[in-house]
Amino acid sequence: MKSTSHIHTRRKIVNITSGSGSYPAPGMSSYCSAKAGLNMFTQCVGLEQQNQPNPVEVIAVIPGMVDTEMQAIARSKDEQSLGMAQQFRYMKQGN
């Protein structure tokens, strides 16, 4: 942000987050914690930028469930190792 503060144009940071940052999921504590941290970071930086002469807009986007490699791995797990594995398989079946 400092390196572009002299540029007088709209500046924006878009963070990709997840519903997992707000809702705990068994077996996903690290992922949920990282996304919760990203959400708070986004909010804090947004507040810090409000009173700057050329503020950077900071937003966090929750795209919803996306069929990624991480989802494929989650679907391959059993419920013992990932409590939400069956839900991920169900969501994939329902597109």
Side-chain angles (χ1 to χ4, degrees), residues 21-51:
S22 300
Y23 303 101
M28 297 177 61
S29 59
S30 295
Y31 182 78
C32 292
S33 297
K35 292 301 185 175
L38 180 62
N39 292 344
M40 185 57 67
F41 174 79
T42 301
Q43 292 174 44
C44 289
V45 173
L47 288 173
E48 292 167 1
Q49 285 293 304
Q50 281 183 346
N51 297 320

Side-chain angles (χ1 to χ4, degrees), residues 26 65 71 75 79 83-92:
M65 197 170 284
Q71 283 287 322
R75 289 191 300 268
E79 282 70 32
M84 296 186 63
Q86 182 59 39
Q87 288 175 281
F88 290 132
R89 287 191 288 272
Y90 176 77
M91 294 298 288
K92 172 69 173 174

